[in-house]
Amino acid sequence: MLPIQVTVVFIAIYVLESLAIIVQSSLIVAVLGREWVQVKRMSPVEMILISLGSCRFCLQWSSVLYNFCSYFNPDWVFWYIGIIWEFTNTLSFWLTSLLAVVYCVKIASFTHPIFFWLRWRILRLVPWLLLGSLLTSCVTIIFSAIRNYITVKLMSVKHFPRNNTVTERLQTVLQNFLISQQMVVLTIPFLLFVASTIVLISSLFQHLGQMQQHSSGHGNSSMKAQSTALRSLAVFLVFFISYFLTILVSARDSLFEKTTWFWVWQIIIYAVVSIHSTSLMLSNPKLKKVLKVRCWGQRMSEAPGTRPPGQMGVCI
């Protein structure tokens, strides 16, 4: 058991991460939502981004409430906030995998006819895929309600020595069936994300090899951008695998007593979410433009006597 001071530090880091994710999600929804109102249309990627931003906004608030309440152990939290958290977490997994698939078919440079057909088909089915992700996540509410009901029953009887048989039966049902069912729901979008990312990395790596054979002055900057994209994808693939494994371990250990390491798990989980949200904002031109404007405005407020130059400075 770690000292209480260490626990407080971990909790503070988790709160700061949560605030960062909430701000990032709000900015994504606000910027793209305003653009949608003005232009009256959205691209498939922007549809997924605004859905993912809304989902993560709700996910993070429910995470904060769920983690603090469950850490201090009131029984009712498992029924209300726990169900909301599991629904938004599952939906976030599906939306993240859908975004990876759309990026893959949109950016990858394979020339096989099947790939062209997939690109044409998937980009037009994004609204229906979003609806399918929502309906699939709604199914998890049923399993979540059953699992949380068993968890509450288990917590209510585990303090009585005569109820050891009941406790063991409930624990067996909880771990062998319901948690496994939840993991299947998360594993499918996780595998889709991994497969799409690997395919995209392979395409970029192949394209980078072709550019190196025909390198020129302009090609050097393009190759540098391709190399940076490859490194970013590889690093985030490792981060997302860590995120999934951490979710898996946290779910398997949900019956154990909450300790300081509980907050360490939460820091790892939501650090990946924050990194992913940041990368999404930097990869979208509209969101990146807003970040530049905000950063430029902050610089000008620090130097009120200066006038803005004719060209916007880059701050990212």
Side-chain angles (χ1 to χ4, degrees):
M1 188 70 177
L2 296 177
I4 186 64
Q5 293 85 352
V6 179
T7 304
V8 172
V9 172
F10 287 151
I11 292 176
I13 296 174
Y14 166 75
V15 171
L16 291 176
E17 284 182 351
S18 299
L19 292 175
I21 295 171
I22 290 171
V23 172
Q24 290 169 334
S25 303
S26 302
L27 189 59
I28 290 174
V29 174
V31 172
L32 297 182
R34 183 185 62 183
E35 186 73 17
W36 175 56
V37 171
Q38 293 175 349
V39 183
K40 304 299 182 182
R41 69 174 184 268
M42 280 193 298
S43 67
V45 171
E46 290 173 349
M47 290 181 190
I48 303 174
L49 284 177
I50 197 169
S51 301
L52 185 59
S54 303
C55 178
R56 283 184 174 170
F57 180 85
C58 299
L59 170 66
Q60 204 56 41
W61 276 114
S62 61
S63 169
V64 171
L65 295 175
Y66 178 74
N67 287 331
F68 278 102
C69 292
S70 62
Y71 188 78
F72 297 106
N73 235 359
D75 294 346
W76 63 268
V77 70
F78 292 101
W79 277 102
Y80 299 100
I81 306 176
I83 293 176
I84 296 174
W85 180 85
E86 291 189 16
F87 167 73
T88 53
N89 183 60
T90 304
L91 182 57
S92 177
F93 259 84
W94 279 100
L95 293 176
T96 302
S97 66
L98 178 58
L99 184 64
V101 171
V102 170
Y103 272 133
C104 177
V105 299
K106 189 175 181 180
I107 298 175
S109 58
F110 295 114
T111 58
H112 197 279
I114 295 180
F115 188 81
F116 284 124
W117 179 84
L118 283 175
R119 174 183 299 173
W120 175 83
R121 192 69 176 170
I122 290 176
L123 293 179
R124 283 160 178 77
L125 288 178
V126 165
W128 292 104
L129 293 174
L130 289 174
L131 180 60
S133 300
L134 179 63
L135 294 177
T136 303
S137 303
C138 289
V139 174
T140 63
I141 296 178
I142 301 173
F143 298 104
S144 177
I146 297 174
R147 185 168 68 87
N148 289 330
Y149 175 78
I150 296 176
T151 302
V152 172
K153 289 296 183 182
L154 181 59
M155 293 178 60
S156 63
V157 301
K158 70 179 181 179
H159 301 293
F160 300 96
R162 296 181 180 179
N163 292 325
N164 288 335
T165 303
V166 177
T167 303
E168 291 176 359
R169 288 179 181 176
L170 289 172
Q171 185 173 356
T172 301
V173 171
L174 185 63
Q175 291 189 346
N176 294 343
F177 175 70
L178 295 172
I179 291 183
S180 299
Q181 187 75 30
Q182 181 192 15
M183 288 302 101
V184 169
V185 175
L186 296 181
T187 300
I188 295 174
F190 169 74
L191 293 178
L192 284 174
F193 174 88
V194 172
S196 301
T197 306
I198 291 177
V199 170
L200 183 56
I201 290 175
S202 301
S203 175
L204 290 176
F205 189 79
Q206 180 181 358
H207 189 249
L208 180 62
Q210 295 174 354
M211 292 177 63
Q212 288 176 345
Q213 295 178 357
H214 307 86
S215 61
S216 61
H218 176 70
N220 291 332
S221 60
S222 299
M223 285 190 294
K224 184 177 180 181
Q226 294 275 359
S227 302
T228 303
L230 280 171
R231 286 194 296 267
S232 300
L233 285 171
V235 169
F236 186 72
L237 181 62
V238 174
F239 270 109
F240 195 80
I241 293 174
S242 303
Y243 172 54
F244 174 75
L245 294 177
T246 306
I247 289 284
L248 181 64
V249 172
S250 299
R252 298 295 300 181
D253 293 341
S254 61
L255 296 180
F256 296 118
E257 182 181 359
K258 303 296 183 183
T259 63
T260 301
W261 297 110
F262 167 79
W263 296 107
V264 176
W265 286 123
Q266 299 304 311
I267 290 173
I268 296 173
I269 290 172
Y270 294 106
V272 178
V273 176
S274 180
I275 292 172
H276 186 239
S277 297
T278 303
S279 66
L280 292 179
M281 295 178 68
L282 295 178
S283 63
N284 185 274
K286 297 174 184 176
L287 295 171
K288 190 174 182 179
K289 181 179 179 181
V290 172
L291 292 178
K292 290 179 179 180
V293 170
R294 286 179 176 271
C295 193
W296 172 253
Q298 183 179 0
R299 283 187 173 184
M300 293 305 300
S301 63
E302 293 175 355
T306 60
R307 295 180 60 185
Q311 185 177 4
M312 183 185 301
V314 176
C315 189
I316 294 177

